[in-house]
Every structure is written in C-alpha cells, then in structure tokens.
Amino acid sequence: MADTLAGAAHGGADTVPEFPMPRAARCPFDPPPALKELQEKGPLTKVRLWDGSEPWLVTRYAEQRQLLGDPRVSADTDRPGYPTKASPEAGEGKLSFIMMDDPEHARLRRMVTAPFAIRRIEALRPAVQRIVDGLIDDMLAGPAPVDLVEAFALPLPSLVICELLGVPYDDHEVFQGNTKTMVHRDATPEQRGAASREIAAYLAALVGKRLADPRDDLLSSIAERITAGEIDHREATEMALLMLVAGHETTANMIALGTAALLQHPDQLALLRESDDPKFVASAVDELLRYLNITHLGRRRAVTEDIEIAGQVIKAGEGVIMVNEIANRDPEVFEDPDRLDLTRDARRHIAFSFGVHQCLGQPLARMELQVVYGTLYRRIPTLRLACALEDVKFKHDAFIYGVHELPVTW
Amino acid sequence: MKVELEADKCVASGQCVVAAMEVFDQDDDGIAILLTDEVGPELVDGVQEAAAVCPAAAIRLVRP
C-alpha cells in the first residue's frame, strides 16, 4: 500500500525521473536536489528526456571521467541513442569538430590548438588586463546601479575574442551587436540566423584579408590551413565562428554568476579581495568553476559498443549524459563538496569536461577569469547586489547556466 | 622516476605545463613535449598532478 501511494505520488508505476530536474529556488548555486539523491543511490541511472527517450545519467565523478575518456563513447549527434538536448535546438546542424569523433575530430581540432597554448595565452594577459581595467573605469565613471552582465561580463569575452581572432578594434560594435543577438533568449530564430550569417560573412571576409596579409592571430593561422589545402574557406569561417560562439556565453556567465555567488559568501570574497598571489587567484578560479558548473545540462554521448561499468552494461546504441555539476560535487573526490572554499585544491574538477573533447578554450577562459576575479573586487571593494538575491533572474531555461542580469552598485 | 608521454594522444589542453612547467612544454601547435623524461622526487607531485588532469590520459609516471 505504501509502495502504491509512493508510486502514485511520482506518477504511477513510472519511476524513471525526468531530466533536467529543477534546482531548489532558494539554492540557485547548487545542483538540483533530485540529482544529489540520484548520486547517493548510485553512479548510473536511467532518466527520461523531453522526447521520451531514456538515456543513462552518470552521476559520479569516477564513472564520468572514465566514460568521457572512452573511444567507444561517441560525440557524433547522428549516432543512434544520442540524447538530444531540447526541441528548439534540434535541427540546427553540427557545430564543427565538437560533434565529430576521432580521427576527423583530432585532425580539425589540431588546426586551432596553437593560439591556446599556455605561453600564447600568457602573452595575451596584459591586453586582457587593459580591457578589464578599461571596463571597470567606465563602470566607475557611469551611473550606479548598473547591470554587471551588460557593463562588464559580456563585453569582456567579446573584446578578448576580438583580440585573439584578430578582429580590428574599429569593428567591435558590429561584432558585439550580432553576437548579443545570437545568444539572446528573446531573439527569434530568424533574428539569430540573420545575426549569425552577418558575422559569418564578416569573418569570411576577414579570413580572406588574412590569407593575403597574415598576422599573429587566430584568423591568420586558420587561413594558413586554407593555403596548405587542408580546409576550404567555408570550413575556415565555420571554425572561426565556433571559436567565437563557444567562448562567449560561457566566460560571460562565469563572471556574472561567480560574482553573484561570491557576494553571498563575503568571507570567500574577502580572500580574493585581499590576495595579490596569482597562484591563489588561479586556484580560486578552479574552485568557482567546480562549484558553479555553468554547463549544467551535461555532456551527451552515444555508446557505440557495449560497455561494462559500475556493475552495469551500457549497450551499443544507448545514450549517456555526464552531468558535471553533480560530478564536481561528488563527496568521494571533494570533501564537503557543497561548500564554496577558495582555499581548496579543486584542479581536478571536470567543469571543462574530460577526454579528447575537453574545452579547447580552457586556458583562455582560466586566464580571463583570473584577471577578472583578481581585479574586479579589488578595484570596487564595496561592490554589492542592487536587488535581493531572490529577484535575480537565473538562467534555469538556458543551455548555459548563469544570470540574465545582475544589478550591482558600490 | 621516468615520465612517459604519448604525444599522439595529446589534445593540447596545456594543463601539464601549468602543473609541471619544469617537465612539460608545448610545441607550436600546443602539443605537449617532454623537457626531461627523468624526474627527481621534487618534481613527482607536479607530474602526478599533470597525469591526473591530462584529459587525454597521455602522461604516465613510471616508478623504477
């Protein structure tokens, strides 16, 4: 009888939970409580997606790392069983090599790895520092309160990607306007398409210029691959567009969401404000990445051969979802995982994923966040929310988690 | 102790360089290279960290 009642409360005999699950309204920085419960029960469980399909959800760190590093686990969205994200995104086509498997994935990816080498990224640090300082100068000179997303979190990665790609400063306005439309939730598919085509046309023309007159930037190194006969002009443009789209919304949300979280943890914020140790700031960035996990819908894959893991067999043709936000809160790996502790060693988090598809832009993202977290709160020590936390609109519905806007004052 | 690197697996994350700059570097394409394949005890922690964070599992520390 008790079983029947409990079953009825969850929709009859149906015990497969739906994914994604809602977060607790009062804990916007924590994973959904239902995910936590599933993790406590075991490393693998079936979930139901919007389209009725039932892929495996992998909840623990060890199993996620193992599967993300397994060549029998495919990132190809056309494979049988691949768990599709949501209906509005279906049919948008493939985003270059991130939706391919090796060896084609590796061949294309290696064409754009050079600018993300650690020393190349370090060489960009002074330019990023100048951009951050300039945006803060503008904020301090303007009216308060201000929306931190609009004034700081979004412009920064946009300006930095311009620097990296080699987009002329004079073209920033066109470039930013269109990227803003592309990632805006209220934009219609037509508006997004038009913005995307306009940037693609712009990037295609710029690739053409770099073909004729190469410089020390990413567009030039992509253009070299055309000259070498490895890709055509269209593929080069798609690659440039991927670099832009992938690096944009992610870093912007980490800046704004990270600030929102730090303002709720004044003791931790004080550690950042008072430290001038780059090693501490770098470590704090990793802890914020571990704690916040803006890629909250998980890494999705299709299994191409039977895989035995954690006492289960995942069959060929089944889908798997690795949700990093719960893996990064795995108590087997991170002690007291739900506590934001900037002094802990969080380097092994998988916020950037793991395996051959791990985020290519992570050295850039880390460096940008180090400059931001190491500068913003020192320059504006009285920074605070200009509304109640309950009134901040979190991106529960978006592909990348974060805040739609963050009103702040000082 | 000996360090082994399977460079053909490398995905150029550069995380080994961050973990142990004395042992790892990157070539022009960001692919990891070994600066030395013999490390003393003072570098073991860094190499272990590099092996743990390497997304391609391309690094191994071999004890004698």
Side-chain angles (χ1 to χ4, degrees):
Chain A
M1 184 67 186
D3 284 345
T4 312
L5 282 174
H10 290 92
D14 181 3
T15 53
V16 179
E18 286 191 18
F19 182 84
M21 295 98 173
R23 289 178 191 244
R26 299 179 65 86
C27 306
F29 307 115
D30 287 336
L35 270 182
K36 195 94 197 157
E37 285 168 27
L38 289 177
Q39 186 186 59
E40 281 162 13
K41 282 184 198 160
L44 283 173
T45 183
K46 285 268 181 129
V47 287
R48 178 164 306 145
L49 299 190
W50 64 277
D51 62 354
S53 64
E54 294 186 0
W56 292 96
L57 187 80
V58 187
T59 60
R60 292 190 190 166
Y61 178 93
E63 284 79 9
Q64 284 200 18
R65 276 199 20 159
Q66 191 182 329
L67 287 169
L68 286 166
D70 192 320
R72 298 169 294 178
V73 176
S74 168
D76 184 345
T77 52
D78 290 338
R79 290 270 188 180
Y82 186 92
T84 45
K85 255 176 195 128
S87 45
E89 287 192 4
E92 273 189 16
K94 294 196 173 191
L95 247 183
S96 190
F97 56 83
I98 62 170
M99 293 174 180
M100 298 176 189
D101 295 326
D102 286 345
E104 192 60 3
H105 157 265
R107 188 182 77 85
L108 292 170
R109 177 173 165 131
R110 281 202 180 195
M111 291 182 192
V112 284
T113 47
F116 298 99
I118 299 299
R119 272 183 297 189
R120 297 279 294 271
I121 291 298
E122 282 308 311
L124 275 178
R125 191 183 285 264
V128 171
Q129 185 70 57
R130 277 197 300 278
I131 295 171
V132 165
D133 286 336
L135 289 169
I136 295 174
D137 288 342
D138 291 348
M139 263 172 66
L140 290 172
V146 69
D147 173 16
L148 190 79
V149 175
E150 181 88 28
F152 185 78
L154 252 179
L156 174 67
S158 166
L159 294 170
V160 172
I161 207 77
C162 282
E163 184 90 18
L164 185 85
L165 284 168
V167 172
Y169 262 53
D170 290 351
D171 298 339
H172 279 177
E173 286 305 313
V174 182
F175 197 76
Q176 269 183 287
N178 281 313
T179 50
K180 206 171 151 185
T181 305
M182 280 171 73
V183 299
H184 202 283
R185 65 173 171 155
D186 293 334
T188 64
E190 289 76 22
Q191 286 170 326
R192 279 203 203 101
S196 157
R197 278 191 300 278
E198 199 171 320
I199 295 184
Y202 173 79
L203 288 175
L206 213 50
V207 167
K209 279 188 196 170
R210 294 296 186 271
L211 260 176
D213 182 18
R215 299 182 189 180
D216 185 19
D217 58 34
L218 178 52
L219 284 179
S220 300
S221 65
I222 292 175
E224 277 171 25
R225 304 294 179 158
I226 307 176
T227 312
E230 294 171 30
I231 48 173
D232 62 26
H233 204 117
R234 184 184 55 82
E235 288 169 316
T237 304
E238 278 173 3
M239 220 175 252
L241 191 59
L242 169 66
M243 298 295 109
L244 169 72
V245 173
H248 213 77
E249 186 75 345
T250 46
T251 308
N253 279 300
M254 265 309 296
I255 294 169
L257 189 66
T259 299
L262 286 165
L263 290 171
Q264 300 306 307
H265 296 82
D267 56 326
Q268 299 299 307
L269 180 59
L271 294 175
L272 265 179
R273 194 189 290 127
E274 285 151 22
S275 174
D276 54 7
D277 176 2
K279 277 193 178 152
F280 172 75
V281 175
S283 180
V285 164
D286 273 310
E287 169 64 353
L288 282 155
L289 286 161
R290 179 198 74 84
Y291 183 75
L292 293 171
N293 295 288
I294 52 160
T295 49
H296 63 148
L297 292 180
R299 268 81 199 205
R300 299 175 183 226
R301 299 288 190 270
V303 170
T304 59
E305 291 173 38
D306 291 3
I307 296 176
E308 198 175 336
I309 184 166
Q312 280 286 351
V313 176
I314 304 179
K315 294 200 181 70
E318 289 190 311
V320 281
I321 302 179
M322 272 75 62
V323 193
N324 46 285
E325 64 177 321
I326 197 67
N328 283 335
R329 300 286 188 101
D330 187 338
E332 291 288 322
V333 184
F334 301 101
E335 198 186 328
D336 198 2
D338 294 330
R339 191 159 56 89
L340 176 67
D341 175 5
L342 300 189
T343 66
R344 85 162 81 219
D345 178 6
R347 274 262 293 157
R348 296 181 190 199
H349 70 75
I350 48 173
F352 290 113
S353 189
F354 198 72
V356 298
H357 285 279
Q358 190 186 55
C359 175
L360 172 66
Q362 66 161 309
L364 175 64
R366 280 194 158 102
M367 183 269 283
E368 284 183 62
L369 294 172
Q370 287 162 11
V371 175
V372 166
Y373 292 142
T375 306
L376 181 61
Y377 318 118
R378 287 162 70 90
R379 290 274 321 267
I380 317 181
T382 57
L383 190 77
R384 61 186 188 277
L385 281 185
C387 68
L389 183 68
E390 293 73 38
D391 294 330
V392 173
K393 290 183 189 72
F394 289 86
K395 293 184 173 177
H396 295 287
D397 51 344
F399 172 44
I400 301 290
Y401 190 63
V403 293
H404 287 295
E405 45 200 50
L406 192 71
V408 293
T409 192
W410 48 86
Chain B
M1 260 173 275
K2 207 167 160 54
V3 186
E4 290 177 356
L5 169 73
E6 291 178 78
D8 58 333
K9 280 188 175 180
C10 176
V11 294
S13 78
Q15 295 312 296
C16 56
V17 182
V18 176
M21 208 165 265
E22 304 86 348
V23 182
F24 301 98
D25 201 350
Q26 288 167 291
D27 69 13
D28 289 344
D29 289 330
I31 303 302
I33 45 179
L34 276 180
L35 297 174
T36 171
D37 60 3
E38 278 289 335
V39 294
E42 74 285 358
L43 294 174
V44 165
D45 282 356
V47 175
Q48 277 175 338
E49 178 77 9
V53 297
C54 173
I59 296 165
R60 282 206 317 150
L61 187 63
V62 185
R63 292 174 193 281

